[in-house]
Amino acid sequence: MTARPTDDLYVRYMKSFEDSTTHLGGCAACQAEEPCEAGTPIHERFARLQDAYLARQKKQQR
C-alpha cells in the first residue's frame, strides 16, 4: 500500500487555521475584532492560505 502524497498547501492552511484560532482564543483585542500587533500577521497568513486553497479547489472543479 502506498501513502498519498502530502498536500503541502492544505497542511499549511490547516496549521494557519489552528494558529489563528489559538491566538484568537487568548486575545481580547482580536476577539473584539481589533487585531493586535501579534495577531495581525497570524490572521493575515490564515486568510492568504485560505484564499489560495479555495482558489485551487475551484480551479480543480472546472
Side-chain angles (χ1 to χ4, degrees), residues 16-17 19-20 23 30 35-49:
S16 70
F17 171 75
D19 293 346
S20 181
H23 177 82
C30 288
C36 69
E37 190 174 321
T40 297
I42 294 169
H43 304 310
E44 287 175 350
R45 176 173 168 77
F46 168 63
R48 279 193 313 272
L49 287 167

